[in-house]
Amino acid sequence: MGFETVIVILLVFALYLAFASIKTVPQGQNWLVEQFGKYTKTLQPGLAFLTPFVERVTYKISMQEIVLDVPSQQVITRDNTQVTADGVVYYQVINAAQAAYEVQNLKYAIINLAQTNLRTVIGSMDLDEVLSKRDFINERLLQVVDAATSPWGVKVTRIEIKDLSPPKDIIDAMGRQMKAERDKRAEILQAEGEKQGAILRAEGGKQSAILDAEGRREAAFRDAEARERSADAEAKATQVVSAAIAGGNVNALNYFIGQKYVEALKAIASAPNQKIIMMPLEASGVIGSIAGVAELARESFAKK
Protein backbone atom coordinates (compact mmCIF):
# COMPACT_ATOMS: atom_id res chain seq x y z
CA MET A 1 0.00 0.00 0.00
CA GLY A 2 1.50 3.25 -1.08
CA PHE A 3 1.74 6.49 0.78
CA GLU A 4 -0.81 8.14 -1.44
CA THR A 5 -3.35 5.45 -0.61
CA VAL A 6 -2.89 6.00 3.09
CA ILE A 7 -3.40 9.74 2.62
CA VAL A 8 -6.64 9.14 0.72
CA ILE A 9 -7.92 6.77 3.38
CA LEU A 10 -7.11 9.27 6.10
CA LEU A 11 -8.86 12.04 4.20
CA VAL A 12 -11.95 9.93 3.69
CA PHE A 13 -11.98 8.98 7.35
CA ALA A 14 -11.60 12.62 8.36
CA LEU A 15 -14.52 13.60 6.14
CA TYR A 16 -16.60 10.83 7.65
CA LEU A 17 -15.80 12.02 11.17
CA ALA A 18 -16.64 15.56 10.18
CA PHE A 19 -20.01 14.61 8.73
CA ALA A 20 -20.71 12.28 11.66
CA SER A 21 -20.05 15.02 14.20
CA ILE A 22 -22.07 17.75 12.53
CA LYS A 23 -25.86 17.56 12.96
CA THR A 24 -28.59 19.91 11.67
CA VAL A 25 -31.76 19.78 13.75
CA PRO A 26 -34.85 20.95 11.78
CA GLN A 27 -37.34 23.45 13.18
CA GLY A 28 -40.10 21.87 15.25
CA GLN A 29 -37.97 18.98 16.52
CA ASN A 30 -35.75 18.15 19.47
CA TRP A 31 -33.09 15.44 19.26
CA LEU A 32 -31.96 13.44 22.27
CA VAL A 33 -28.29 12.53 22.58
CA GLU A 34 -26.91 9.56 24.53
CA GLN A 35 -23.32 8.91 25.51
CA PHE A 36 -22.52 5.25 25.91
CA GLY A 37 -26.24 4.52 26.34
CA LYS A 38 -26.98 7.32 28.82
CA TYR A 39 -28.99 10.42 28.03
CA THR A 40 -26.81 13.50 28.16
CA LYS A 41 -28.42 16.41 26.33
CA THR A 42 -31.15 17.65 24.00
CA LEU A 43 -30.31 19.26 20.70
CA GLN A 44 -32.41 22.31 19.78
CA PRO A 45 -33.20 23.31 16.17
CA GLY A 46 -30.11 24.47 14.31
CA LEU A 47 -26.49 23.31 13.90
CA ALA A 48 -25.01 20.97 16.55
CA PHE A 49 -21.76 19.04 17.02
CA LEU A 50 -21.36 15.54 18.45
CA THR A 51 -18.37 13.51 19.45
CA PRO A 52 -18.06 10.67 16.95
CA PHE A 53 -18.24 7.12 18.32
CA VAL A 54 -19.07 8.53 21.78
CA GLU A 55 -22.33 10.45 21.33
CA ARG A 56 -25.23 9.47 19.18
CA VAL A 57 -28.80 10.66 18.47
CA THR A 58 -31.28 8.17 19.88
CA TYR A 59 -34.70 9.95 19.62
CA LYS A 60 -36.05 12.60 17.30
CA ILE A 61 -39.07 14.12 19.01
CA SER A 62 -41.57 16.38 17.24
CA MET A 63 -42.48 19.45 19.29
CA GLN A 64 -45.48 20.34 17.15
CA GLU A 65 -49.09 19.77 18.16
CA ILE A 66 -50.13 16.24 17.23
CA VAL A 67 -53.62 14.87 16.58
CA LEU A 68 -54.59 11.36 17.67
CA ASP A 69 -57.80 9.57 16.77
CA VAL A 70 -59.43 7.71 19.66
CA PRO A 71 -60.93 4.50 18.21
CA SER A 72 -64.66 3.86 18.48
CA GLN A 73 -65.80 1.80 21.47
CA GLN A 74 -68.99 0.61 23.17
CA VAL A 75 -69.76 2.45 26.41
CA ILE A 76 -72.57 1.76 28.90
CA THR A 77 -74.23 4.75 30.54
CA ARG A 78 -75.49 4.95 34.11
CA ASP A 79 -79.01 3.99 33.01
CA ASN A 80 -77.65 0.85 31.26
CA THR A 81 -77.85 2.16 27.71
CA GLN A 82 -75.11 1.20 25.29
CA VAL A 83 -73.67 3.97 23.10
CA THR A 84 -70.85 4.02 20.58
CA ALA A 85 -68.30 6.79 21.26
CA ASP A 86 -65.08 7.97 19.69
CA GLY A 87 -63.03 11.13 19.80
CA VAL A 88 -59.87 13.01 18.97
CA VAL A 89 -56.97 14.15 21.18
CA TYR A 90 -54.69 17.14 20.55
CA TYR A 91 -51.40 17.12 22.44
CA GLN A 92 -47.97 18.71 22.33
CA VAL A 93 -44.63 17.55 23.75
CA ILE A 94 -43.12 20.18 26.00
CA ASN A 95 -40.25 18.07 27.41
CA ALA A 96 -38.64 15.77 24.83
CA ALA A 97 -36.58 13.79 27.37
CA GLN A 98 -39.61 12.92 29.51
CA ALA A 99 -41.66 11.99 26.46
CA ALA A 100 -38.92 9.57 25.37
CA TYR A 101 -37.85 8.05 28.67
CA GLU A 102 -40.87 8.29 31.03
CA VAL A 103 -43.26 6.23 28.91
CA GLN A 104 -42.90 3.62 26.24
CA ASN A 105 -44.94 4.27 23.07
CA LEU A 106 -46.33 7.65 23.96
CA LYS A 107 -49.15 7.71 21.37
CA TYR A 108 -50.46 4.30 22.36
CA ALA A 109 -50.42 5.33 26.04
CA ILE A 110 -52.39 8.54 25.35
CA ILE A 111 -55.01 6.73 23.24
CA ASN A 112 -55.62 4.08 25.91
CA LEU A 113 -55.75 6.70 28.65
CA ALA A 114 -58.38 8.65 26.67
CA GLN A 115 -60.44 5.51 26.03
CA THR A 116 -60.52 4.40 29.67
CA ASN A 117 -61.45 7.86 30.94
CA LEU A 118 -64.09 8.20 28.23
CA ARG A 119 -65.75 5.05 29.56
CA THR A 120 -65.49 6.38 33.11
CA VAL A 121 -67.02 9.78 32.37
CA ILE A 122 -69.86 8.51 30.17
CA GLY A 123 -70.57 5.64 32.55
CA SER A 124 -71.30 8.15 35.33
CA MET A 125 -74.02 9.92 33.28
CA ASP A 126 -77.50 9.09 32.01
CA LEU A 127 -78.14 8.85 28.28
CA ASP A 128 -79.94 12.20 28.11
CA GLU A 129 -77.01 13.88 29.86
CA VAL A 130 -74.50 12.20 27.55
CA LEU A 131 -76.31 13.43 24.45
CA SER A 132 -76.87 16.97 25.73
CA LYS A 133 -73.61 17.68 27.63
CA ARG A 134 -70.78 17.08 25.18
CA ASP A 135 -68.96 20.17 26.39
CA PHE A 136 -68.97 18.84 29.94
CA ILE A 137 -67.60 15.47 28.76
CA ASN A 138 -64.85 17.16 26.74
CA GLU A 139 -63.84 19.38 29.64
CA ARG A 140 -63.83 16.51 32.12
CA LEU A 141 -61.74 14.30 29.83
CA LEU A 142 -59.27 17.12 29.22
CA GLN A 143 -58.73 17.68 32.94
CA VAL A 144 -58.17 14.01 33.71
CA VAL A 145 -55.99 13.10 30.71
CA ASP A 146 -53.88 16.25 30.94
CA ALA A 147 -53.15 15.59 34.61
CA ALA A 148 -52.25 11.94 33.87
CA THR A 149 -49.89 12.78 30.96
CA SER A 150 -48.11 15.66 32.69
CA PRO A 151 -45.27 13.41 34.05
CA TRP A 152 -44.63 12.33 30.44
CA GLY A 153 -43.68 15.85 29.39
CA VAL A 154 -46.88 16.23 27.38
CA LYS A 155 -49.52 18.98 27.36
CA VAL A 156 -52.97 17.84 26.22
CA THR A 157 -54.59 20.93 24.66
CA ARG A 158 -58.00 19.60 23.57
CA ILE A 159 -60.14 16.48 23.63
CA GLU A 160 -63.25 16.41 21.45
CA ILE A 161 -65.98 13.78 21.19
CA LYS A 162 -66.52 13.10 17.49
CA ASP A 163 -69.50 10.77 17.59
CA LEU A 164 -72.03 9.50 20.12
CA SER A 165 -74.40 6.94 18.63
CA PRO A 166 -77.12 5.20 20.68
CA PRO A 167 -78.56 1.90 19.39
CA LYS A 168 -81.11 2.06 16.56
CA ASP A 169 -84.07 1.16 18.78
CA ILE A 170 -83.15 3.97 21.17
CA ILE A 171 -82.93 6.41 18.24
CA ASP A 172 -86.37 5.29 17.02
CA ALA A 173 -87.83 5.69 20.50
CA MET A 174 -86.29 9.14 20.82
CA GLY A 175 -87.78 10.09 17.45
CA ARG A 176 -91.25 9.00 18.58
CA GLN A 177 -90.81 10.88 21.84
CA MET A 178 -89.77 14.04 20.03
CA LYS A 179 -92.73 13.76 17.65
CA ALA A 180 -95.12 13.31 20.58
CA GLU A 181 -93.57 16.29 22.32
CA ARG A 182 -93.94 18.44 19.21
CA ASP A 183 -97.58 17.35 18.80
CA LYS A 184 -98.19 18.19 22.45
CA ARG A 185 -96.67 21.65 22.06
CA ALA A 186 -98.75 22.22 18.89
CA GLU A 187 -101.97 21.28 20.72
CA ILE A 188 -101.04 23.52 23.64
CA LEU A 189 -100.36 26.44 21.31
CA GLN A 190 -103.65 25.84 19.48
CA ALA A 191 -105.56 25.69 22.78
CA GLU A 192 -103.85 28.87 23.95
CA GLY A 193 -104.78 30.55 20.68
CA GLU A 194 -108.41 29.52 21.00
CA LYS A 195 -108.43 30.67 24.61
CA GLN A 196 -107.03 34.07 23.70
CA GLY A 197 -109.50 34.34 20.82
CA ALA A 198 -112.42 33.59 23.14
CA ILE A 199 -111.14 36.12 25.66
CA LEU A 200 -110.78 38.78 22.99
CA ARG A 201 -114.25 38.04 21.61
CA ALA A 202 -115.73 38.24 25.11
CA GLU A 203 -113.90 41.52 25.74
CA GLY A 204 -115.20 42.85 22.42
CA GLY A 205 -118.76 41.83 23.27
CA LYS A 206 -118.40 43.42 26.68
CA GLN A 207 -117.13 46.70 25.25
CA SER A 208 -119.87 46.65 22.61
CA ALA A 209 -122.55 46.10 25.26
CA ILE A 210 -121.09 48.91 27.38
CA LEU A 211 -121.04 51.31 24.45
CA ASP A 212 -124.56 50.28 23.45
CA ALA A 213 -125.81 50.83 27.00
CA GLU A 214 -124.09 54.21 27.16
CA GLY A 215 -125.69 55.12 23.81
CA ARG A 216 -129.13 54.14 25.04
CA ARG A 217 -128.59 56.08 28.24
CA GLU A 218 -127.52 59.17 26.30
CA ALA A 219 -130.51 58.81 23.94
CA ALA A 220 -132.88 58.42 26.87
CA PHE A 221 -131.35 61.48 28.50
CA ARG A 222 -131.78 63.46 25.28
CA ASP A 223 -135.39 62.26 24.88
CA ALA A 224 -136.21 63.18 28.48
CA GLU A 225 -134.61 66.59 28.00
CA ALA A 226 -136.61 67.12 24.77
CA ARG A 227 -139.85 66.07 26.47
CA GLU A 228 -139.07 68.37 29.37
CA ARG A 229 -138.48 71.30 27.05
CA SER A 230 -141.64 70.45 25.08
CA ALA A 231 -143.62 70.29 28.31
CA ASP A 232 -142.16 73.64 29.40
CA ALA A 233 -143.09 75.19 26.05
CA GLU A 234 -146.58 73.69 26.24
CA ALA A 235 -147.05 75.01 29.75
CA LYS A 236 -145.84 78.45 28.76
CA ALA A 237 -148.16 78.47 25.72
CA THR A 238 -151.08 77.42 27.89
CA GLN A 239 -150.21 80.13 30.40
CA VAL A 240 -150.07 82.78 27.67
CA VAL A 241 -153.43 81.65 26.21
CA SER A 242 -155.00 81.60 29.67
CA ALA A 243 -153.74 85.14 30.31
CA ALA A 244 -155.15 86.26 26.95
CA ILE A 245 -158.55 84.69 27.70
CA ALA A 246 -158.56 86.28 31.15
CA GLY A 247 -157.94 89.58 29.42
CA GLY A 248 -160.97 89.06 27.24
CA ASN A 249 -159.11 88.12 24.04
CA VAL A 250 -161.13 85.29 22.46
CA ASN A 251 -158.83 85.08 19.43
CA ALA A 252 -156.10 83.50 21.58
CA LEU A 253 -158.52 80.72 22.50
CA ASN A 254 -159.34 80.23 18.83
CA TYR A 255 -155.62 80.03 18.00
CA PHE A 256 -155.03 77.43 20.69
CA ILE A 257 -157.99 75.31 19.60
CA GLY A 258 -157.02 75.61 15.92
CA GLN A 259 -153.47 74.49 16.65
CA LYS A 260 -154.62 71.41 18.54
CA TYR A 261 -157.14 70.67 15.78
CA VAL A 262 -154.46 70.77 13.08
CA GLU A 263 -152.12 68.59 15.14
CA ALA A 264 -154.86 65.99 15.63
CA LEU A 265 -155.54 65.88 11.87
CA LYS A 266 -151.83 65.50 11.21
CA ALA A 267 -151.59 62.57 13.63
CA ILE A 268 -154.55 60.85 12.01
CA ALA A 269 -153.13 61.33 8.50
CA SER A 270 -149.68 59.99 9.45
CA ALA A 271 -150.96 56.74 11.00
CA PRO A 272 -149.47 53.70 9.13
CA ASN A 273 -152.84 51.94 8.85
CA GLN A 274 -154.58 54.91 7.30
CA LYS A 275 -154.30 55.39 3.57
CA ILE A 276 -157.54 57.36 2.87
CA ILE A 277 -159.31 59.65 5.38
CA MET A 278 -163.01 60.16 4.85
CA MET A 279 -164.59 62.21 7.56
CA PRO A 280 -166.76 65.40 7.70
CA LEU A 281 -164.70 68.44 8.57
CA GLU A 282 -166.09 71.70 9.95
CA ALA A 283 -164.31 73.97 7.57
CA SER A 284 -165.79 77.06 9.20
CA GLY A 285 -164.29 76.10 12.55
CA VAL A 286 -160.85 75.69 11.02
CA ILE A 287 -161.21 78.98 9.12
CA GLY A 288 -162.35 80.72 12.28
CA SER A 289 -159.33 79.41 14.11
CA ILE A 290 -157.07 80.65 11.32
CA ALA A 291 -158.80 84.00 11.43
CA GLY A 292 -158.12 84.12 15.14
CA VAL A 293 -154.46 83.51 14.42
CA ALA A 294 -154.42 86.38 11.92
CA GLU A 295 -156.09 88.67 14.42
CA LEU A 296 -153.48 87.82 17.05
CA ALA A 297 -150.75 88.62 14.57
CA ARG A 298 -152.25 92.01 13.73
CA GLU A 299 -152.59 92.89 17.39
CA SER A 300 -148.97 91.90 17.96
CA PHE A 301 -147.71 94.12 15.15
CA ALA A 302 -149.93 96.95 16.34
CA LYS A 303 -148.41 96.84 19.80
CA LYS A 304 -144.95 97.05 18.30
Side-chain angles (χ1 to χ4, degrees):
M1 180 180 298
F3 180 74
E4 293 82 1
T5 305
V6 173
I7 295 299
V8 171
I9 294 174
L10 290 177
L11 288 175
V12 171
F13 184 69
L15 290 174
Y16 169 77
L17 292 179
F19 282 107
S21 61
I22 299 174
K23 301 293 182 183
T24 302
V25 181
Q27 185 67 36
Q29 290 188 0
N30 281 357
W31 290 4
L32 304 182
V33 177
E34 293 182 357
Q35 186 176 4
F36 299 116
K38 182 180 179 181
Y39 166 75
T40 56
K41 60 183 178 181
T42 300
L43 300 181
Q44 302 295 329
L47 189 64
F49 296 93
L50 298 180
T51 303
F53 306 111
V54 178
E55 295 178 329
R56 66 186 183 92
V57 176
T58 54
Y59 293 99
K60 297 179 180 180
I61 306 296
S62 174
M63 306 301 290
Q64 298 174 323
E65 190 171 17
I66 300 173
V67 182
L68 288 179
D69 283 326
V70 179
S72 177
Q73 60 178 331
Q74 300 293 325
V75 183
I76 298 177
T77 62
R78 185 170 57 187
D79 52 356
N80 296 322
T81 303
Q82 193 176 54
V83 297
T84 302
D86 60 5
V88 61
V89 178
Y90 297 82
Y91 76 95
Q92 185 176 13
V93 176
I94 58 177
N95 189 313
Q98 288 181 330
Y101 296 109
E102 295 296 333
V103 61
Q104 187 177 11
N105 198 336
L106 177 63
K107 294 182 179 180
Y108 180 77
I110 293 176
I111 290 174
N112 279 272
L113 189 62
Q115 282 185 313
T116 56
N117 283 279
L118 181 62
R119 288 194 295 269
T120 301
V121 173
I122 293 180
S124 63
M125 303 170 64
D126 294 332
L127 178 61
D128 292 339
E129 294 177 333
V130 171
L131 297 177
S132 62
K133 295 183 178 180
R134 285 198 178 196
D135 291 339
F136 172 78
I137 297 174
N138 295 336
E139 183 180 355
R140 182 60 180 164
L141 285 174
L142 179 60
Q143 292 176 354
V144 175
V145 176
D146 184 47
T149 57
S150 181
W152 302 342
V154 172
K155 175 63 178 178
V156 178
T157 57
R158 292 192 304 275
I159 296 182
E160 301 288 342
I161 299 297
K162 290 199 301 184
D163 186 30
L164 283 172
S165 301
K168 188 177 183 303
D169 57 341
I170 299 296
I171 295 177
D172 294 339
M174 291 171 62
R176 292 192 298 270
Q177 181 181 1
M178 291 177 61
K179 183 178 183 300
E181 189 67 26
R182 285 194 297 268
D183 293 341
K184 176 183 176 182
R185 288 198 297 267
E187 292 177 358
I188 292 174
L189 291 176
Q190 182 178 0
E192 287 291 336
E194 293 175 355
K195 175 183 175 182
Q196 291 297 326
I199 292 174
L200 292 176
R201 286 192 295 271
E203 287 290 337
K206 176 182 176 182
Q207 292 296 327
S208 177
I210 292 174
L211 293 176
D212 186 46
E214 290 180 352
R216 290 196 303 271
R217 185 182 67 177
E218 183 68 19
F221 176 77
R222 297 294 183 185
D223 291 342
E225 186 178 7
R227 288 194 298 271
E228 181 180 357
R229 290 182 179 180
S230 178
D232 290 342
E234 187 74 19
K236 184 176 292 185
T238 303
Q239 184 179 1
V240 171
V241 171
S242 298
I245 294 172
N249 191 348
V250 182
N251 290 329
L253 180 61
N254 293 333
Y255 165 75
F256 186 74
I257 294 172
Q259 182 185 12
K260 294 300 181 181
Y261 195 75
V262 172
E263 289 179 357
L265 290 178
K266 180 179 178 181
I268 294 172
S270 62
N273 58 350
Q274 298 293 333
K275 301 301 181 181
I276 300 175
I277 302 175
M278 299 181 66
M279 56 182 297
L281 299 176
E282 296 181 2
S284 60
V286 177
I287 294 172
S289 299
I290 296 174
V293 173
E295 185 65 26
L296 284 174
R298 283 196 297 271
E299 290 178 2
S300 177
F301 282 118
K303 291 178 180 180
K304 292 182 179 180

